[in-house]
């Protein structure tokens, strides 16, 4: 991995290279939208990243806090991209807790095995809105 602290790498480019987002445009959108915080503050996509800086990323329901361990502007395989950052222990624990809570919530609201057929749909509508429909 090539380290380039002298001329620096943009935040959106680093996020794309570290494989947090599939495209650089999407990474830029997330930074502009306030989903990415650099050292606890909102940042611009053009922010130059530094080693050991803290990033807080929101992706869907998950929020990650990572430390930048290496800087590169090239998108490499996922096995190498993982070496660019280190997720904090608190972040991992918090993500596991929220995943467990989502899993338990899904068990309390089970989904049917199939969609209702036409007759069942009519019966549901009658039950929901009354006999007038």
């Amino acid at each position: 991995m090539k380290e380039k602290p002298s001329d620096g790498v943009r935040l959106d480019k680093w996020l794309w290279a570290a494989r947090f987002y599939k495209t650089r445009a999407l990474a830029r959108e997330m930074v502009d939208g306030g989903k990415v915080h650099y050292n606890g503050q909102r940042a611009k996509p053009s922010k130059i990243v530094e080693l050991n800086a803290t990033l807080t990323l929101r992706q869907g329901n998950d929020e990650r806090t990572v430390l930048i361990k290496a800087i590169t502007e090239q998108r490499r395989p996922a096995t190498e991209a993982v070496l660019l950052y280190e997720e904090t222990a608190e972040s991992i624990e918090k993500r596991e807790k929220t995943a467990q809570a989502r899993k338990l919530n899904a068990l309390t609201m089970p989904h049917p095995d199939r969609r209702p057929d036409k007759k069942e749909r009519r019966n549901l509508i009658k039950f929901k809105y009354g006999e007038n429909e």
Side-chain angles (χ1 to χ4, degrees):
M1 249 168 280
K2 175 167 68 163
E3 294 200 19
K4 298 175 69 172
S6 56
D7 54 339
V9 176
R10 293 169 50 107
L11 178 59
D12 60 345
K13 202 170 211 181
W14 186 88
L15 288 167
W16 167 76
R19 294 183 168 263
F20 284 108
Y21 300 106
K22 196 168 187 174
T23 63
R24 188 166 162 206
L26 184 59
R28 180 185 182 90
E29 231 175 81
M30 293 298 133
V31 175
D32 280 337
K35 306 281 191 250
V36 178
H37 287 90
Y38 184 86
N39 286 335
Q41 307 236 338
R42 279 185 74 162
K44 292 184 178 180
S46 59
K47 172 77 175 156
I48 303 299
V49 294
E50 300 166 348
L51 291 175
N52 297 319
T54 306
L55 284 177
T56 306
L57 308 143
R58 275 191 298 157
Q59 294 176 307
N61 294 325
D62 293 335
E63 186 172 302
R64 296 174 177 229
T65 304
V66 297
L67 294 171
I68 298 175
K69 290 295 176 189
I71 298 174
T72 185
E73 60 182 19
Q74 291 183 331
R75 189 170 169 102
R76 306 291 301 154
T79 53
E80 292 179 31
V82 173
L83 303 174
L84 295 177
Y85 61 91
E86 179 183 315
E87 190 170 1
T88 62
E90 298 87 28
S91 173
I92 293 169
E93 186 179 325
K94 189 176 177 183
R95 279 191 314 116
E96 287 173 353
K97 281 183 182 178
T98 56
Q100 186 69 23
R102 277 197 311 272
K103 191 181 267 189
L104 290 173
N105 193 24
L107 293 175
T108 61
M109 293 186 284
H111 295 286
D113 296 331
R114 61 180 179 78
R115 291 177 58 181
D117 61 20
K118 193 170 186 176
K119 185 177 180 182
E120 291 168 337
R121 256 194 325 274
R122 284 185 182 147
N123 288 336
L124 285 169
I125 290 170
K126 279 182 187 176
F127 177 75
K128 192 172 181 180
Y129 298 109
E131 295 290 328
N132 299 347
E133 297 278 325

